[in-house]
Amino acid sequence: MTQCPGSVNRLFLLPGLRRDPVTFFLSPAPLFHPHLLIFAPNFEEVMAFRSIKSLMVLVFSGLCLTLSQPVKAGGGEGEGGKLNPAEVIIEHISDGHEFHFFSIGEFHAVIPLPVILYSPQRGLDVFLSSRFHHGHDAYKGYKLEHGKIHAVQEDGSADEAVQVYDFSLTRNVVQMIIALVLLVWIMTGIARQYRSGKGTRTAPTGLQNALEPVITFVRDEVAKPNLGHKSGKYLPYLLTVFFFILINNLFGLIPGSANVTGNIAFTAMLGIISFLVILFSTNSHFWKHIFWPPVPHGVKPILVPVELLGVFTKPFALIIRLFANMTAGHIIILSFICLIFIFGEMSKALGYGASPLFVALAVFIYLIEILVAFIQAFIFTNLTAVFIGQAFEGEHHEEAHH
């Protein structure tokens, strides 16, 4: 065994770890092992991590309590100035041209994003979304209404004669770019550490130490059981999908950020890419099973359309599952927050009295959403591996006969 300094060597003295370290760490038992804290490299780091988690919950609660101003500024009022919960929720889970974190009075903490418009009649225009002043003003003959940019005339009416092509960097696009840059930076950094000998000749440290069990889990529990001897070929794609979805899921939990994985266009592109990977992995046995299934001839005309439909329902299931689950969590959190203001419109005392309960429920769902972020990334990756494995499933039978 490679000799590792400090607590790493002592950690290998734990019962069961020497025999099967992967199973030991992936099983729930080590999380509650009575001796595990003894071998922690730095107990103060553990306590600091817990303090950070508590601080995050506190910050989230504070942001929840200050949502009344963004609701009004975001156009969430219905007739008579009353709150329109549906409009507020749709606005917060939809795409936008700025990152809006909170508002206090007339102060709005926002990050405007670039607006890139092209019109055959007016040419190219590039400016920041702050020029629209949250949709109240027009700029250069364009106006932002309900998240869409339209051409307008001098009097503010819509100009139907002008065609507008919007290439703006919305918050979904910006957040995807940030997630992609972060993913590449993390993975290339870990790869450099392995090339330098960390993780092979010595124990992994830092972020490499945190991500190595996750990578091993995807390889041993997702790729190998479903893809067999071809797992190494598809493992880079599976890891990319897993971490890209996971990063975007976690980013979406930051108040004021974009809900990228709750956007049907984003999940549709992931589903289409996985669908293409599945199609290019098929063989003659796969298509023979679809167009000439091993059933009585009288059943074939009924089963063939069903089997052919199943080819397209697989990516559809990937798309809808991720989209629905990530959107539902955000809707539930916003619904609890809106209930505070609904109760407040009935009675101020009722609004203040109910706010601690609804904030507690929102924080509870928020913490569950952190778990869901990991689960949905795993489910998408695992189902993709299952569908790819089904595409060349006949090869195993052919090898068995040989």
Side-chain angles (χ1 to χ4, degrees), residues 71-128:
V71 165
K72 295 178 181 178
E77 296 181 356
E79 296 181 359
K82 292 185 177 180
L83 174 68
N84 186 342
E87 186 175 342
V88 171
I89 292 173
I90 293 300
E91 179 184 349
H92 279 76
I93 66 175
S94 301
D95 201 3
H97 290 272
E98 63 183 13
F99 288 98
H100 189 168
F101 298 101
F102 63 91
S103 296
I104 301 177
E106 296 299 324
F107 172 75
H108 304 287
V110 300
I111 299 178
L113 299 175
V115 175
I116 305 173
L117 304 174
Y118 175 75
S119 171
Q121 294 80 16
R122 299 180 178 178
L124 179 67
D125 286 296
V126 180
F127 52 92
L128 289 178

Side-chain angles (χ1 to χ4, degrees), residues 386-401:
V386 170
F387 297 152
I388 294 174
Q390 291 175 348
F392 57 80
E393 185 178 6
E395 294 183 4
H396 303 298
H397 300 290
E398 293 175 2
E399 291 176 0
H401 287 302

Side-chain angles (χ1 to χ4, degrees), residues 82-373:
K82 292 185 177 180
L83 174 68
N84 186 342
E87 186 175 342
V88 171
I89 292 173
I90 293 300
E91 179 184 349
H92 279 76
I93 66 175
S94 301
D95 201 3
H97 290 272
E98 63 183 13
F99 288 98
H100 189 168
F101 298 101
F102 63 91
S103 296
I104 301 177
E106 296 299 324
F107 172 75
H108 304 287
V110 300
I111 299 178
L113 299 175
V115 175
I116 305 173
L117 304 174
Y118 175 75
S119 171
Q121 294 80 16
R122 299 180 178 178
L124 179 67
D125 286 296
V126 180
F127 52 92
L128 289 178
S129 60
S130 56
R131 297 287 188 177
F132 291 126
H133 294 95
H134 308 289
H136 298 297
D137 299 333
Y139 184 74
K140 288 189 175 182
Y142 299 102
K143 190 171 184 179
L144 178 65
E145 294 179 343
H146 303 292
K148 303 292 183 182
I149 298 177
H150 307 279
V152 294
Q153 299 176 358
E154 292 184 0
D155 58 358
S157 60
D159 192 347
E160 302 293 343
V162 177
Q163 291 182 326
V164 182
Y165 299 96
D166 191 353
F167 300 98
S168 303
L169 295 179
T170 62
R171 59 187 177 196
N172 277 349
V173 175
V174 171
Q175 196 160 297
M176 279 191 292
I177 294 174
I178 294 174
L180 181 61
V181 171
L182 182 62
L183 176 62
V184 173
W185 176 70
I186 290 175
M187 291 305 168
T188 53
I190 292 177
R192 283 195 299 269
Q193 287 183 311
Y194 277 112
R195 283 196 296 266
S196 65
K198 289 184 178 179
T200 55
R201 294 190 297 269
T202 60
T205 58
L207 191 59
Q208 180 189 16
N209 187 34
L211 293 183
E212 184 177 285
V214 181
I215 296 172
T216 304
F217 176 79
V218 174
R219 183 195 65 189
D220 295 342
E221 303 297 330
V222 176
K224 287 185 177 180
N226 296 301
L227 303 174
H229 65 285
K230 289 190 174 182
S231 60
K233 176 182 178 181
Y234 294 97
L235 184 59
Y237 174 70
L238 296 177
L239 288 173
T240 301
V241 168
F242 177 83
F243 283 106
F244 188 56
I245 293 175
L246 178 61
I247 291 173
N248 280 291
N249 285 349
L250 295 177
F251 274 178
L253 295 175
I254 301 174
S257 63
N259 181 25
V260 175
T261 48
N263 187 299
I264 191 66
F266 175 83
T267 59
M269 286 307 303
L270 287 178
I272 292 172
I273 293 173
S274 294
F275 179 59
L276 293 176
V277 174
I278 294 169
L279 287 182
F280 283 109
S281 303
T282 58
N283 52 25
S284 59
H285 181 274
F286 175 83
W287 296 109
K288 181 181 178 181
H289 182 81
I290 290 178
F291 291 105
W292 197 254
V295 295
H297 293 289
V299 184
K300 290 184 188 293
I302 302 175
L303 193 58
V304 168
V306 175
E307 291 284 349
L308 188 60
L309 183 63
V311 176
F312 299 96
T313 56
K314 291 174 182 177
F316 183 76
L318 294 174
I319 294 169
I320 298 301
R321 184 187 301 272
L322 179 60
F323 163 74
N325 281 281
M326 298 312 300
T327 303
H330 288 74
I331 291 176
I332 293 173
I333 293 174
L334 291 170
S335 298
F336 283 133
I337 300 302
C338 287
L339 282 173
I340 297 175
F341 306 110
I342 293 174
F343 278 45
E345 290 177 354
M346 297 168 58
S347 168
K348 283 190 176 181
L350 185 60
Y352 282 112
S355 59
L357 172 62
F358 291 128
V359 168
L361 290 173
V363 172
F364 174 71
I365 298 297
Y366 179 83
L367 296 177
I368 291 179
E369 279 293 291
I370 297 175
L371 177 63
V372 171

